[in-house]
Every structure is written in C-alpha cells, then in structure tokens.
C-alpha cells in the first residue's frame, strides 16, 4: 500500500501531498522536509529507489518536478514507478502537456485526478480512459454548478 | 434575505478566489508567512458569512493552505458544513481536505456525529459522482466508528450498478476491514465475487484489496488460489498480473504444489521480459545485462529455463553481427563460463559462437586459443555425464580453434596431449574426428617448434606419442574418426621414418595445413555477378537417376554429387584405399599393446566381409553438421556454409568446362563417400559379432526413482508399508543410494530385492532380478538377463522393455527399428510366475561406469478392466562388471608390474570392519578378481577386462587403524572407481 505521495519542485517547494495513512501534522512536516532533502541531494544517474526509515521511496523527476512515493516494504518498486508514470500521463492528458504551473494553479484538479486514480493508497483504476472519463464527468457537473452559482 | 444573498455575491466579487491566493503567494516570496496570515484572517471572515458559496470558496483556499502545510483544523466544523451542501464542487474540495490528520478528539467526534448522516446521504445519492466523492473523502478519514456504521452501506455499494461506484466501494472496503475487522467475514464472499467482475477496473480493485489482505494473513486466502490462477492466465492487465504474482509469492510457501503449477505461466512472463531485453541492449549496457542474466543462470533451477536463459544470452550478444559487443575477450569468457552448465542442450550453440568469434575476430585468437586450451585440458569435466552430453559439443569448437590457430598456443605440446587422451574416445564421433584432425595440425606446430630448437629427439618423441595414441582412434566405431586417424597415423609413421634419417620435415608438414579459412557472409553469393553465358538452371550432366537422388536425400551436408558417371571410379578408389587402410589397421592392431588377443573379432569382421558395401559405418548424427573443421554448426552457419559451398560449386562448374574432371575426382570422392546409402548402417551394427557370449560378470540393476509421483514407485521398504504413491515418492527421494558393497552383501544368490513395487492401490507387481554378462570374444557387447517375477494377483502382458541409449551403451534393437523403440518381452506373466529375458547392449568404452535409464511398460489385466502401467528403472554397469576372473601366476604378475605399462592410483577405505579374508572373498566374488598372493593383511589380486585390460590390485590393511588400503594398477588409464 502506498503511504503517501509528494510532488515538489527542484527548489524544494511542495506542490502536492497526499497521505493515505493518518499522520500527525507535525510528523508530516518533518517527514516531508527530510525526504525532500534526501531526494534532492541525489544525482540524476542514481537509482530511483531508496530505503528510508521503514519505507521504500520511489521517485522520478519530470522536468522541474519530483514525484515521490513512499510504499511499504513488501510493495513492488517497479509498479510504483509505473503508478507515478501513469499519474503523469493522466495529468498530461488532462492539462495537455502538463507543466509545473498547471499543477500550482489547478492543484485541486491534480488532486482530483489522483483521487480517481488512487484510492486509499491502492490503484483504483488502471485504465487511463476510464479515469479521464470520470474526471470529465465531474468537470461537467462542476460547470453546471458554477453556472448555477453565476446566476445567483 | 434576498438582499443578503446579493450582498454576499457582490462581496464575493472582491474576495480572493483560489487562483488569486496562489498568485498572491507566488508574488510575496519574501514575506510569504505574513501574506498567508492575512489570507487566513480573510478566510475566517468568509467562513462567518451565511453564503455557502463564499464559505466554499474559503474552504477551497484552506485546502491549498493545508497542502502547503498550514494547520486548518480550526475550520473543521465549517468544512463539514460545506461538505453537507448539495453542490458537487464544494464536496470535491472538502474531500480533498485531509481531515484524518487532524489530531483533535473533537474533530473525530464532529465527523462521527455530523458527517455520518451527511456521508450516508451522499452514499445513496442518485448521482454516481456524488457518491464517488463521498467515498473518496471517506477513504481518507475512516475511523473505527465510521467503519462500523458504514460497513453495511459500503457493502451494498459493492454491488452498485455503476462500475465506477463498485470499484471505489471495493477499495474503501479495505480501509473498513482494517478499522473494523469484524466486517471482513460477512463481506468476503461479495469481495470474492468482484474478482470476476465484468469491469476490469473493479476486478483490479478487488485483486488489489485481496492481495493486501492476503499479505497480512496468506493462509486464509489459499482457497482463492485457483481463481487467481485463472485470472493470471487470462488477464492481460500487467498491473493486475504483478499484484497476483506478489500474492502467489505469499501463498507458495504454504502450498508447495502451487509452485509447480506456476512454473509455466511464470516462465511465459519471464520470456516476455527476456524478449524485451533483447531490444533493450546497447553497447553500454550489454555487459551489465549479461552479468545479471548470468546470475540468473546460476540460480535457475529448471534446465529448460536455464537453457532459455542461455540461448537468450547468446541471442542478445550475437544480434546484428555482434553489434553491441565491444570486448570480445569478455564474450569468450562468457561462453567459457556457460560451458559450466550441466545438462544443457545448447552445447552446439556455444560451440558455434566460439568458432564464429574466433574465426571472424582475428585479434581475439590469442585469447580464445588460450581459453580453449584450458577447456580441452579440463575436457573430462564436461564429459562427466554422457547421458546429457549437450555440453561436450563445445569441445568440438575448442579442439578446432586450438588446432587451426595453434601458432598462438603457449604450450602446444600439452594441448596435443590433452587431445589424445584415451578418454577422448568416449566423446561423440564427430567430436573425436575433429580432435584427430586437429591433433595433426597441432603436431605440425609442435614439430616446427621442436625442430627449430635443434632438439630432434623431442620431435621424434612427439611423433612417437601420436603413433602410440592414434591407434585408439583407429579402432573407433565412427568411420570418420577411423578414416582420419588411420590416415594421419600413416602420415606420422612416415614422418618418423624421415626424422630417423634426420630429415627436417616440419616445413612440409605445416604446408599440409597452410592457408587461412575465411568466413563468408551469408549474402556474399548474391554479390557475385553471374558471368555471361552461364546458365545456372541448365543441367551440366544428365539428371541423376532416381536411386541416387534418394541417396542424397539425407540432407545435403556434403556437396551434392551431380555427375553420375564419375561414381564407379570413385568406389574403385574407395575400395583400394580402404583395402590399404585395412591392411594398415590390421598391422596396427597386431602391434597394438592395447589390442592384445581379445579382439580378433575386429579383424574377423573385415575378413568375413566381402566388399566395401558392408563396411559398417556409424550413422551420422545430422543434428550436428559435420566433421569438416571450421564448419560452423548452428543453423545460420550451416546456411552460410551452404552458400559458400554453392559458390564453390558454381566455380567448379565453371572450371569444369575447361578442366578435366579427374582433377576434381579426389576432392569429390571424399565428399560423396559417406553419403552413399549402402555405407550407412545403424550404429549398433558396427561391432556385433554373433558368437556365443560366455558368462562373464554380474552387475546390479536398480529400480530408479520415478519422475512422476503418480506413477508406480519403487521403494526399498516393504511394499506393504507404502501408503500412497506420493508418500512413497517422498520417502524414496530421501533414501540415499546404498553403497554397492552393502547391497551385494544382502543378496547371496546375486538376486537383489530392490524392487517391491506399488502400482497404484496395493497392487504389487514384480520382483526383478538380472545380471549383466560380458562377451569375451567381443569387448563391445554385454548381455543383460532380467528375471521378471510377477508378484501381483493379476495377469501381466504386453511388456515392453526400453532403455534410453547413451553414447557409450546402446540397446541392440532389431533392424529397422528406431533408437527409441522398446523391445517386446517375449512372454506374458501369469500371477506368481517368473521368467527370464535377455537384452544385448553394445558398449563402446568399458573404462567408465554407466547408468542407463529405462522404462518397462506393461498391461495389467484385472477381472473387469486392464490398465497400462509404466515402471522406470536404472541399469547400472559398473566397471568391475566388465572384468573376468582370470587366474594369474605371481611371476607373470611381477612381469606385468615391471612392464611399466600400467597406470596406478590408490584409494583408502574407512569404516570397513569385516575381517580381511572376508574382504578378499568379497572382492573376488563381486568384482571378479583372483588372489595372486597373500601375505598377512596384504594381498595382490589380478583381473582382466573383457577388452583385455590388465587390472592389478593391492589390498593392504593399514595396521594401526585396520583400514584396508587399495592400490590398483591398470592398463586402463582412467580409474573408474
């Protein structure tokens, strides 16, 4: 099971965080800080997997953004790497050649995509098509709401 | 009220929305904290307003702040409030707030008391996306209380009509199980159903959940194994496959049978991965990848998988003309490492790679030759198990490379010796042939070196070495080996004569092998333009007659013979040539110290047979192309070679127009000779002499393990004790092979009670006794008598006895049957009856022990039915079983020892507690020795093999420990005990 997922920039700015287990706010901050330091210090040629505390960290850099997942010891690193990549593909498809700014300004969308893809730390749907369809439908609903709101 | 709303909306226009907040934070890089604190103040104001839209906007901003790491727990109540709104957007933003992290007890209470009805309401919303959001939100903050209260609702949702809801429900169920384990039992059947959900999303969600659950407690999920197995073989979703394989990883330790089942699908997956590797390699990563694969090769358990890896390694390395190999020394080392694999079928593949690389990469030859010389030196390691001889094919390549490029050898003399060891005679014929040919090449090199140093004696000794060793090959059953060996032997003898007259011969001998063999690209032929006036389709001569075209059918390894009329002349030459050789051989045999008198048969064979047509020839094993050195063996090289030949042929055709045909005669003859039909007779006819077979020796036959548990299993235990075949199988494999001596001790009448057999239920089959008899007149045959005794209550019939031939020993089958056919046992067995059947084996080398695997198939007739059964067994030919008790007088014995012809070795046996005279009696009785002289606890013994090898044995008791010490000397070089 995935414990959490972090997106942060090369400068160490957190762009997105998703926790799948209950963690105290203080611990979260500490872990994020520590992990960012560890990952950012690594050289490009180094392995995408590392052991950290009792977890396995799987990370991958896309342009200026690091996608970093923490999974449990028994989990498969390669499939986690695939999860990251699939998430990026989904973002890319949704935003159309996604960039860091897309995620900064539409972070709630990014969250929503992630929620449709992963749930409770497990893969919910492996099909890109069905995830994107769900997001489109939700967007439609939201627009209806917004229109309704605009009338007010 | 309306005014208030309008006011709210207007206010809202001036409010910051989420975008503004984000932008603002980015614009206040220096004083971010200060900016955010003002924002939080604004949000607090907004939350106080009645307008739900404003509140929602505030909550949106809060989610962002929370993401940045700011504490928003103070707003929990408002958040829940917004969440309860019917507007989708708000819910989405709320669900993203990860409330579970809020540590205040208060919040949990709020959630439990407030959100429960709200969530429940959402759960049953007609809009699937509403429900979906509720579930997503819930997944983040499931508490034990919530889990308990919502379990049944979520369970209902697992059967929702929309797959979108189903999959979310399935996933959230996992969280519920964790917080409220009691829910697992009632929900499990439904969860199991979801494994076969028509929607792949739901299916994969269910697989995920069950895999997670199973990881915690695999035992409970064993019953699902068949279902998962089905999924694994049918699913094309790699994500799901990975999860399932992980799950099986947890299950297999609990259920060993599962492992067997999994082999096939898993290897399929692995093959897919290996195929990917093929496309992945580059110059940079090749070595790394191959290194990893080599590790897997070492770890691999099944031979099939290991072979697969081996071929993959070679495929990967050799693809596109070794495009990715930057260091051929490395590649040669890899190939040499691969030869350490036992039981691989791909020896010829490795061999062809060695040849190809050594021929085509000139710079590598020095290294390759050094490596190959080591291989030859350790050749005995590769030939250890003759039944699975695949790997000894590499010796073919090694011998050829060492011979062809012998100028690079560091110590050619040592390699020459290695090539002429008697053990070489146990190799397959085509390899021996290469050995012989290349020994000649090496000989040339050695001569040149030795003559250079003016040490003419050394050169003569080298010639003598060849003259001593080659007769072994002259006796070979393989015609090719025989022919080459006798040819070279004559040559060496001639050279020796010249040497004795102090004539320098090295130059001329080297000239025999002058020139380089060049590789030709597979498409080279196409590049040669067809000369004007040459019609490739026109017949040069009349088409060959039907009978001859049949001759050529067995694969055109040798150049096809086209001109018909040159043939009779060839046979004539053949006959003369062979007659000459025959003479030479006869002489050889007469002079040969190893031949002695025991095999007058081989001479007899030639005398008896009138014409050249009857000269027996070993069937040529077509799977390995041929004996011409330098001919690569894998298919692609066969093609290459064919192409080259074609070219040669076309050239020849051209020449033929101008030149006289006789000039080609000789070359043709050599090529076409072995193909003619009358020459090819089954291998086992080679040395058979139909004389009476005197009783010689006894050997034990043991019932082996069966490969398949379901088959009847032999056991040393009384059959009654065997409860089930499976159990027997296990017990069997744990039983070590008893020591030969002990076994012999057990059966005084030379009957071995090894075979109480269970045939399924408690049907007892037979008790089998047998012995092996050698043939004094013919050192190459043994007769195995088997006594079949039916211990069952049923009638046994249609028994077929079959043995898997090894290179060294072959079961004699009636003419016309294939080497895999069984022999019918010529009787039926009523209950309680025993009868004896004899089977003849031809044996090439008696200096090595042999184990032959065999099968007995038979039909069991019971009152109402008959079943076909199978028994596997092993025939054990020990070396001593080829010995004949022969008396010897002490003076003759002493002479023999003095002669210096015998090689010696010694062996210490510990833990023998029987009295010395018992020991002697036992050796005499079971191993066919006779005592020459005995002094106290020391005895010299003598015996002779059916091929006339002398075996002298000295048995001593080392006094202090009373440990008998065996020293034995023999004309057989390789000690075989």
């Amino acid at each position: 099971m995935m414990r959490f997922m972090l997106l942060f920039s090369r400068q160490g700015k957190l762009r997105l965080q998703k926790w799948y287990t209950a963690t105290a706010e203080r611990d979260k901050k500490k872990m994020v800080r520590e992990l960012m330091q560890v990952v950012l210090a690594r050289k490009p040629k180094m392995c995408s997997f590392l052991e950290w505390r009792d977890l396995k960290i799987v990370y991958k850099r896309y342009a200026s953004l690091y996608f970093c997942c923490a999974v449990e010891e028994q989990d498969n690193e390669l499939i986690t790497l695939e999860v990251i990549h699939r998430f990026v593909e989904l973002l890319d498809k949704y935003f159309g050649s996604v960039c860091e700014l897309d995620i900064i300004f539409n972070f709630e969308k990014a969250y929503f995509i992630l929620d449709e893809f992963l749930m409770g730390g497990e893969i919910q749907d492996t099909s890109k098509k069905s995830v994107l369809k769900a997001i489109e439908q939700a967007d439609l609903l939201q627009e209806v709401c917004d229109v309704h709101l605009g009338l007010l | 009220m309306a005014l208030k709303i309008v006011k709210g909306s207007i206010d809202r226009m001036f409010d910051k929305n989420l975008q503004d907040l984000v932008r603002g934070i980015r614009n206040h890089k220096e004083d971010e904290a200060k900016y955010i604190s003002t924002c939080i103040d604004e949000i607090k104001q907004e939350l106080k307003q009645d307008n739900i839209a404003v509140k929602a906007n505030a909550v949106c901003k809060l989610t962002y702040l929370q993401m940045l790491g700011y504490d928003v727990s103070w707003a929990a109540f408002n958040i829940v409030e917004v969440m309860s709104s019917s507007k989708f957007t708000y819910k989405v933003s709320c669900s993203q707030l990860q409330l579970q992290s809020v540590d205040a007890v208060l919040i949990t209470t709020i959630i439990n008391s407030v959100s429960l009805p709200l969530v429940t309401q959402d759960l049953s919303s007609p809009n699937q996306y509403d429900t979906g959001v509720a579930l997503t939100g819930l997944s983040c903050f499931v508490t034990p209380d919530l889990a308990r209260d919502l379990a049944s609702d979520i369970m209902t949702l697992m059967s929702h009509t929309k797959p979108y809801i189903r999959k979310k429900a399935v996933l959230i169920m996992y969280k519920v199980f964790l917080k409220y384990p009691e829910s697992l039992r009632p929900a499990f059947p439904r969860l199991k159903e979801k494994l076969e959900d028509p929607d792949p999303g739901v299916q994969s969600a269910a697989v995920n959940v069950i895999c997670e659950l199973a990881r915690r407690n695999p035992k409970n999920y064993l019953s699902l194994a068949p279902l998962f197995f089905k999924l694994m073989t049918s699913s094309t979703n790699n994500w799901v496959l990975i999860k399932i394989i992980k799950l099986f990883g947890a299950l297999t330790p609990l259920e060993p049978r599962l492992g067997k089942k999994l082999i096939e699908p898993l290897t399929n997956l692995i093959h897919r991965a290996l195929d990917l590797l093929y496309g992945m390699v580059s110059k940079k990563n090749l070595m790394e990848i191959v290194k990893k694969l080599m590790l897997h090769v070492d770890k691999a358990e099944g031979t099939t998988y290991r072979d697969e890896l081996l071929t993959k390694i070679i495929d990967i390395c050799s693809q596109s003309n070794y495009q990715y190999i930057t260091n051929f020394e490395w590649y040669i080392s890899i190939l040499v490492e691969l030869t350490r694999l036992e039981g691989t079928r791909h020896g010829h593949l490795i061999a062809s790679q060695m040849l190809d690389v050594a021929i085509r990469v000139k710079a590598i030859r020095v290294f390759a030759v050094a490596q190959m010389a080591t291989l030859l030196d350790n050749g005995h390691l590769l030939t250890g198990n003759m039944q699975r001889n695949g790997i000894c094919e590499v010796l073919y390549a090694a011998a050829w490379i060492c011979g062809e490029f012998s100028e690079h050898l560091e110590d050619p003399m040592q390699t020459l010796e290695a090539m002429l060891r008697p053990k070489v005679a146990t190799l397959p014929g085509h390899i021996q042939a290469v050995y012989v040919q290349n020994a000649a090449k090496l000989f040339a090199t050695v001569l040149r070196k030795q003559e250079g140093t003016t040490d003419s004696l050394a050169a003569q000794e080298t010639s003598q070495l060849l003259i001593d060793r080659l007769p072994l090959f002259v006796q070979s059953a393989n015609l090719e080996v025989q022919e080459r060996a006798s040819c070279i032997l004559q040559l060496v003898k001639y050279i020796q004569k010249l040497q004795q007259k102090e004539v320098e011969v090295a130059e001329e001998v080297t000239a025999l092998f002058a020139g380089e063999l060049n590789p030709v690209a597979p498409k080279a032929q196409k590049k040669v333009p067809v000369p004007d006036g040459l019609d490739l389709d026109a017949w040069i001569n009349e088409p060959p007659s039907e009978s001859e075209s049949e001759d050529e059918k067995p694969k055109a390894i040798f150049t096809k013979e086209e001109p018909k009329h040159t043939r009779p002349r060839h046979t004539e030459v053949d006959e003369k040539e062979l007659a000459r050789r025959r003479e030479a051989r006869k002489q050889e045999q007469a002079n040969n110290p190893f031949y002695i008198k025991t095999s007058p048969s081989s001479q007899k064979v030639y005398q008896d047979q009138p014409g050249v047509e009857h000269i027996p020839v070993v069937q040529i094993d077509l799977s390995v192309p041929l004996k011409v050195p330098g001919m690569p063996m894998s298919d692609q090289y066969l093609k290459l070679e064919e192409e080259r030949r074609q070219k040669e042929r076309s050239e020849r055709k051209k020449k033929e127009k101008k030149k006289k045909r006789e000039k080609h005669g000789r070359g043709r003859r050599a090529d076409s000779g072995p193909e003619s039909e009358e020459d090819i007779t089954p291998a086992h006819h080679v040395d058979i002499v139909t004389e009476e077979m005197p009783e010689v020796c006894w050997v034990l036959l043991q019932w082996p393990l069966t490969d398949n548990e379901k088959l009847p299993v032999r056991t040393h235990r009384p059959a009654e004790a065997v409860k089930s075949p499976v159990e027997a199988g296990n017990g069997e494999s744990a039983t070590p092979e008893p020591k030969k001596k002990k076994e012999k001790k057990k059966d005084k009448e030379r009957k071995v009670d090894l075979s109480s057999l269970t045939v399924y239920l408690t049907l007892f089959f037979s008790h089998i006794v047998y012995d092996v008899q050698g043939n004094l007149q013919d050192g190459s045959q043994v007769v195995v008598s088997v006594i079949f005794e039916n211990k069952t209550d049923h009638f046994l019939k249609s028994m077929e006895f079959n043995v898997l031939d090894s290179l060294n020993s072959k079961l004699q089958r009636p003419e016309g049957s294939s080497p895999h056919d069984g022999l019918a046992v010529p009787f039926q067995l009523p209950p309680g009856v025993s009868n004896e059947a004899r089977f003849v084996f031809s044996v090439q080398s008696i200096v090595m022990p042999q184990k032959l695997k065999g099968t007995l198939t038979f039909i069991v007739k019971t009152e109402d039915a008959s079943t076909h059964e199978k028994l596997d067994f092993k025939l054990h030919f020990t070396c001593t079983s080829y010995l004949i008790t022969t008396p010897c007088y002490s003076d003759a014995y002493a002479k023999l020892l003095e002669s210096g012809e015998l090689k010696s070795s010694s062996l210490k046996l510990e833990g023998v507690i029987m009295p010395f005279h018992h020991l002697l009696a036992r050796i005499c009785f079971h191993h066919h020795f006779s005592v020459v002289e005995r002094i106290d606890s020391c005895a010299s013994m003598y015996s002779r093999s059916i091929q006339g090898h002398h075996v002298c044995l000295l048995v001593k008791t080392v006094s202090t420990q009373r440990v008998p010490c065996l020293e034995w000397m023999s004309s057989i070089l390789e000690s075989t005990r």
Side-chain angles (χ1 to χ4, degrees), chain B residues 855-875:
Chain B
T855 334
L856 182 74
T857 52
F858 53 91
I859 290 173
V860 184
K861 262 182 97 173
T862 54
E863 264 102 41
D864 40 12
S866 62
T867 51
H868 205 252
E869 301 289 359
K870 192 177 110 182
L871 275 174
D872 290 342
F873 59 85
K874 254 181 217 166
L875 278 172

Side-chain angles (χ1 to χ4, degrees), chain A residues 127-144:
Chain A
S127 150
K128 262 191 278 189
K129 227 160 110 191
S130 74
V131 171
L132 287 170
K133 197 180 133 209
I135 296 164
E136 265 168 42
Q137 292 293 322
D139 275 353
L140 267 177
L141 266 174
Q142 202 163 356
E143 269 162 36
V144 172

Side-chain angles (χ1 to χ4, degrees), chain A residues 1-2 7 13-26 28-29 45 56 72-76 78-84 86 100-101 103-113 115-127 130-131 133-135 137-139 141-143 145-146 148-149 152, chain B residues 5 9 12 18-19 22-23 26 29 32 51 53 60-61 63-71 86-90 92-93 95-96 98 100-103 127-130 132-133 135-136 139-140 164 167-169 171-172 174-175 178-179 199-202 204-205 208-209 212 215-216 237-240 242-243 246 284:
Chain A
M1 187 191 116
M2 192 182 289
L7 269 68
K13 290 262 184 210
L14 195 60
R15 295 300 179 208
L16 202 126
Q17 54 171 325
K18 184 85 188 175
W19 299 75
Y20 293 107
T21 46
T23 318
E25 209 63 48
R26 207 181 37 234
K28 273 191 195 172
K29 268 190 192 162
K45 290 257 172 178
K56 282 195 220 170
E72 288 167 3
E73 242 171 324
Q74 310 94 316
D75 282 314
N76 188 326
L78 287 172
I79 205 175
T80 314
L81 207 56
E82 283 297 314
V83 165
I84 292 178
R86 180 54 60 92
E100 194 182 341
L101 280 180
I103 296 171
I104 294 171
F105 284 106
N106 300 292
F107 88 101
E108 82 280 9
K109 293 283 181 218
Y111 263 130
F112 192 67
I113 294 168
D115 281 345
E116 284 299 322
F117 177 45
L118 295 175
M119 188 167 152
E122 295 294 337
I123 302 161
Q124 184 182 154
D125 205 320
T126 56
S127 150
S130 74
V131 171
K133 197 180 133 209
I135 296 164
Q137 292 293 322
D139 275 353
L141 266 174
Q142 202 163 356
E143 269 162 36
C145 290
D146 284 347
H148 179 60
L149 234 140
L152 282 174
Chain B
I5 293 169
S9 322
R12 207 179 145 253
L18 180 59
Q19 306 287 333
V22 175
R23 220 165 275 142
R26 287 174 68 80
K29 282 204 170 103
E32 197 184 288
N51 189 332
C60 268
K61 288 192 277 187
T63 58
Y64 188 73
L65 293 178
Q66 193 211 21
M67 194 274 293
L68 289 179
Y70 291 91
D71 182 19
S86 55
K87 298 288 180 296
F88 183 71
T89 322
Y90 310 156
V92 171
S93 40
S95 75
Q96 281 154 11
Q98 294 161 36
Q100 92 283 3
S101 55
V102 182
D103 52 355
N127 185 324
Q128 58 168 324
Y129 293 100
D130 272 350
V133 167
L135 286 170
T136 311
S139 75
C140 296
Y164 179 79
K167 74 179 177 206
K168 280 183 188 279
L171 280 178
I172 205 163
Y174 173 59
K175 296 279 169 180
L178 289 184
K179 301 283 179 187
D199 183 81
V202 182
S204 82
N208 280 345
V209 169
E212 284 295 324
R215 231 173 52 188
R216 283 158 210 271
N237 187 337
N238 287 337
W239 305 79
V240 172
I242 293 175
K243 284 280 177 187
K246 274 255 161 197
K284 274 185 188 168

Side-chain angles (χ1 to χ4, degrees), chain B residues 195-413:
Chain B
L195 282 177
E196 293 177 293
D197 197 280
D199 183 81
V202 182
Q203 208 180 53
S204 82
V207 169
N208 280 345
V209 169
I210 293 187
C211 288
E212 284 295 324
L213 289 170
R215 231 173 52 188
R216 283 158 210 271
N217 186 9
K219 227 175 175 174
N220 289 349
Y221 301 89
L222 259 181
S223 61
L224 291 182
L227 194 58
F228 274 110
F229 188 78
K230 203 178 108 198
L231 269 180
M232 183 166 71
T233 43
S234 61
S235 175
T236 50
N237 187 337
N238 287 337
W239 305 79
V240 172
L241 284 177
I242 293 175
K243 284 280 177 187
I244 294 177
I245 291 167
K246 274 255 161 197
L247 174 76
F248 276 126
L251 293 185
T252 33
L254 300 167
E255 176 52 275
R257 278 179 301 175
L258 210 53
K260 257 187 201 166
K261 270 284 246 195
L262 287 175
I263 289 171
E264 200 205 325
L266 285 185
T267 36
N268 284 345
L269 288 178
I270 291 168
H271 288 178
R272 265 153 64 187
L274 285 176
D275 286 342
L276 278 180
L277 267 187
Y278 184 83
M280 248 170 78
V281 287
S282 69
K283 277 185 180 170
K284 274 185 188 168
N285 64 16
L286 175 73
M287 289 196 190
E288 196 60 31
I289 286 177
V290 171
K291 194 178 145 197
K292 284 274 154 61
L293 286 175
M294 291 295 282
L295 282 179
H296 281 279
V297 169
D298 284 342
K299 279 188 269 172
E301 280 173 5
T303 8
T304 335
Y305 174 47
R306 214 168 44 181
D307 280 358
E308 182 71 31
L309 281 173
L310 190 153
T311 40
K312 264 288 149 3
I313 290 176
I314 289 178
D315 272 4
I316 287 172
C317 291
S318 62
Q319 66 176 311
S320 357
N321 260 327
Y322 309 101
Q323 187 191 347
Y324 298 114
I325 295 182
T326 48
N327 182 350
F328 279 94
E329 286 194 14
W330 164 82
Y331 187 45
I332 293 276
S333 323
I334 288 287
L335 291 174
V336 171
E337 270 178 55
L338 287 174
T339 62
R340 286 196 229 121
L341 293 187
E342 267 177 49
T344 179
R345 290 181 291 119
H346 294 299
H348 65 97
L349 189 59
I350 302 175
S352 74
Q353 286 289 302
M354 287 172 168
L355 284 172
D356 195 39
V357 171
I359 294 169
R360 291 167 62 178
V361 189
K362 286 194 177 132
I364 200 66
R365 285 180 190 165
V366 178
F367 181 81
V369 163
Q371 294 285 313
M372 295 304 121
T374 327
L375 260 186
L376 282 181
D377 224 20
N378 300 322
H380 57 280
L381 296 178
L382 300 178
T383 55
N385 191 347
M386 292 301 284
Q387 285 227 311
R388 294 174 156 188
N389 64 323
I391 201 65
C392 68
E393 292 291 336
V394 298
L395 292 176
Y396 176 104
W400 192 84
I401 291 169
C402 283
E404 186 63 25
F405 309 119
S406 51
E407 69 268 20
H408 300 301
L409 272 175
E410 237 174 69
D411 187 357
M413 191 60 207

